């Protein structure tokens, strides 16, 4: 298969980890006889430095001309510490999600045997954890207007809005995923307080009739946050709005020991985008210490998206072996265990592909 991949490395550790993902994809292509072509484009703080815009028109064009986008991370402390900066890297990410129509963000969480004793939770609690969180990605409070301050600057406001159409399309994605898995769907909302959540719940109840094979349950987000820690193996597919999904998936990511392990796929109207869920981790940038596994596993999701199942599974197995053999970066290393560099971990994984 021939695939054109837009490579948007972004900020912080983005360039290091996407380089490992790319090399791993290339090794996989070599083994299975595929051809992947990459076009690099700037995004985030890196793009602001170059062009003044965190998601330049040219980058957007390159994404549209590609079959898929492989994305690193964005964010830079120089903006985090300046809340008044008129242009921010995160705006690039949000604009990219919105303009590529990437409304469904899939974040799989699977705690394999190799990860069980690296989890902060007890083995008997995390064992068997295997779920996907479907996060709505282009609506809700991230995009609602009005947003701003009053004249005096003493009052600030954000707006959370959802339309039935926005809720329906992401629910359909989640129902279809559940149907292909263990057929349990958990709808997470705050319907006891928020009107948008009540619309979510009402819409989910209506659509559920079209998917009778799937058992649907409804959880308030505070309870869901607790159940994820108490009984993570209970979940199969979780679907929720943008901000709840952002928060719950950071929580869920450490079930397997590290935020550096969680990959994601964003699907929508055009080319799909694949990215690790961790951020730009600026403290580690350029030091060759960040965990490349989430980026490499995002590459596996990319392959799976194009039906290359065996290829994706080969990468996952290689990652699993590498952890079992103890070749891990510091985030996963047990106390006293030697930790490897980013590129060593990447090399070990590729040796197994
Ligand atoms: C994520 C990130 C982003 C988000 C930030 C960087 C804007 O945390 O992808 O989860 O909140 O969506
Ligand atoms: Mn997040």
């Amino acid at each position: 298969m021939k695939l054109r991949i837009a490579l948007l490395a972004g900020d912080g550790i983005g360039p290091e980890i996407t380089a490992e993902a790319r090399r791993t994809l290339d090794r996989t292509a070599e083994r299975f006889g595929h051809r992947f072509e990459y076009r690099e484009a700037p995004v985030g703080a890196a793009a602001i430095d170059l062009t003044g815009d965190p998601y330049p028109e040219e980058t957007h064009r390159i994404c549209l001309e590609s079959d898929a986008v492989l994305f690193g991370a964005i964010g830079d402390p120089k903006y985090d510490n300046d809340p008044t900066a008129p242009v921010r890297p995160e705006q690039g990410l949000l604009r990219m999600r919105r303009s590529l129509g990437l409304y469904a963000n899939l974040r799989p969480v699977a705690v394999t045997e190799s990860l069980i004793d690296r989890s902060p939770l007890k083995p008997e609690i995390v064992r068997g954890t295997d779920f996907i969180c479907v996060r709505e990605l282009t609506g809700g409070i991230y995009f609602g207007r009005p947003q701003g301050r009053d004249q005096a600057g003493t009052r600030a406001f954000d707006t959370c809005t959802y339309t039935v159409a926005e809720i329906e399309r992401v629910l359909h994605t989640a129902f279809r995923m559940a149907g292909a898995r263990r057929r349990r769907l958990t709808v997470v909302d705050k319907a006891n307080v928020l009107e948008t959540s009540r619309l979510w719940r009402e819409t989910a109840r209506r659509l559920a009739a079209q998917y009778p094979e799937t058992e649907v349950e409804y959880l308030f987000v505070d309870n869901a946050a607790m159940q994820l820690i108490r009984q993570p193996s209970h979940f199969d597919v979780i679907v929720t709005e943008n901000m709840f999904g952002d928060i719950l998936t950071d929580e869920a990511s450490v079930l397997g020991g590290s935020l550096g392990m969680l990959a994601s796929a964003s699907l929508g109207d055009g080319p799909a985008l694949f990215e690790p869920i961790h951020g730009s981790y600026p403290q580690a940038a350029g030091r060759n210490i960040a965990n490349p596994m989430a980026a490499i596993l995002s590459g596996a999701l990319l392959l799976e998206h194009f039906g290359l199942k065996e290829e994706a599974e080969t990468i996952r197995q290689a990652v699993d072996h590498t952890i079992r053999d103890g070749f891990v970066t510091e985030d996963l290393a047990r106390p006293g265990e030697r930790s490897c560099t980013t590129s060593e971990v990447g090399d070990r994984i590729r040796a197994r592909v």
Side-chain angles (χ1 to χ4, degrees):
M1 182 179 282
K2 194 181 147 203
L3 288 176
R4 289 160 308 169
I5 300 173
L7 195 71
L8 276 51
D11 305 325
I13 58 170
E16 304 158 53
I17 54 155
T18 47
E20 294 305 325
R22 175 183 179 160
R23 285 188 204 118
T24 308
L25 283 173
D26 284 342
R27 169 72 198 114
T28 313
E30 190 188 335
R31 165 154 172 211
F32 289 88
H34 302 300
R35 216 172 93 215
F36 304 146
E37 282 168 9
Y38 305 86
R39 283 174 79 190
E40 296 182 29
V43 70
I48 299 178
D49 292 344
L50 278 170
T51 68
D53 182 344
Y55 185 58
E57 196 46 47
E58 170 73 1
T59 298
H60 184 55
R61 200 175 52 76
I62 289 175
C63 290
L64 287 180
E65 288 170 3
S66 304
D67 299 308
V69 182
L70 188 62
F71 185 87
I74 67 165
D76 190 296
K78 87 180 168 216
Y79 299 95
D80 294 346
N81 299 330
D82 177 12
T84 61
V87 186
R88 310 179 56 79
E90 289 77 9
Q91 291 164 347
L93 182 62
L94 299 188
R95 193 140 42 83
M96 179 180 75
R97 287 173 177 171
R98 183 86 156 192
S99 53
L100 293 174
L102 301 168
Y103 60 83
N105 181 218
L106 278 37
R107 299 186 161 184
V109 179
V111 183
T112 55
E113 279 302 313
S114 62
L115 285 173
I116 282 183
D117 62 346
R118 300 182 191 266
S119 171
L121 299 191
K122 297 192 188 87
E124 62 270 27
I125 290 185
V126 281
R127 184 162 282 120
T129 297
D130 179 5
F131 63 85
I132 294 189
C133 183
V134 180
R135 168 189 175 192
E136 200 290 327
L137 203 59
T138 54
I141 201 162
Y142 274 57
F143 293 95
R145 294 292 177 268
Q147 178 188 61
R149 301 271 177 99
D150 68 0
Q151 289 252 305
T154 51
R155 202 177 141 263
F157 42 88
D158 296 284
T159 308
C160 185
T161 56
Y162 268 109
T163 64
V164 170
E166 284 173 323
I167 300 168
E168 278 182 348
R169 62 184 180 179
V170 71
L171 281 174
H172 279 301
T173 305
F175 271 112
R176 280 197 300 269
M177 304 228 52
R181 292 175 49 100
R182 300 194 307 277
R183 299 182 184 157
R184 169 178 286 160
L185 180 65
T186 306
V187 180
V188 173
D189 62 31
K190 189 71 186 172
N192 50 346
V193 178
L194 301 176
E195 194 56 33
T196 41
S197 282
R198 286 189 278 273
L199 189 62
W200 268 79
R201 198 171 276 218
E202 195 181 299
T203 309
R205 281 201 207 287
R206 182 163 43 74
L207 291 198
Q210 295 174 37
Y211 301 92
E213 72 289 357
T214 293
E215 178 201 332
V216 188
E217 64 172 3
Y218 300 86
L219 286 187
F220 296 141
V221 61
D222 47 352
N223 186 16
M226 178 179 71
Q227 299 304 339
L228 273 175
I229 298 299
R230 213 178 66 85
Q231 210 191 347
S233 60
H234 163 81
F235 297 100
D236 180 21
V237 177
I238 297 173
V239 64
T240 191
E241 63 104 76
N242 202 344
M243 190 158 77
F244 297 161
D246 177 46
I247 297 168
L248 291 179
T249 51
D250 258 41
E251 182 192 7
S253 73
V254 287
L255 293 171
S258 169
L259 180 60
M261 293 294 300
L262 213 61
S264 87
S266 301
L267 313 179
D269 309 322
L273 179 142
F274 301 85
E275 62 172 314
I277 90 150
H278 59 67
S280 57
Y281 191 14
Q283 303 84 341
R287 293 174 54 204
N288 200 21
I289 58 168
N291 188 347
M293 287 177 175
I296 290 172
L297 291 169
S298 297
L301 284 177
L302 186 156
L303 297 181
E304 196 166 37
H305 178 73
F306 291 99
L308 305 178
K309 284 216 167 83
E310 194 190 340
E311 290 82 340
E313 196 45 37
T314 302
I315 294 179
R316 281 193 198 107
Q317 295 284 340
V319 168
D320 203 50
H321 263 116
T322 305
I323 298 168
R324 255 187 282 156
D325 293 344
F327 299 111
V328 294
T329 41
E330 60 182 13
D331 53 314
L332 278 179
R334 299 192 196 88
E337 198 175 45
R338 186 182 93 87
S339 53
C340 299
T341 63
T342 309
S343 44
E344 262 177 287
V345 169
D347 287 342
R348 292 282 174 180
I349 292 171
R350 281 185 292 280
R352 289 254 178 209
V353 168

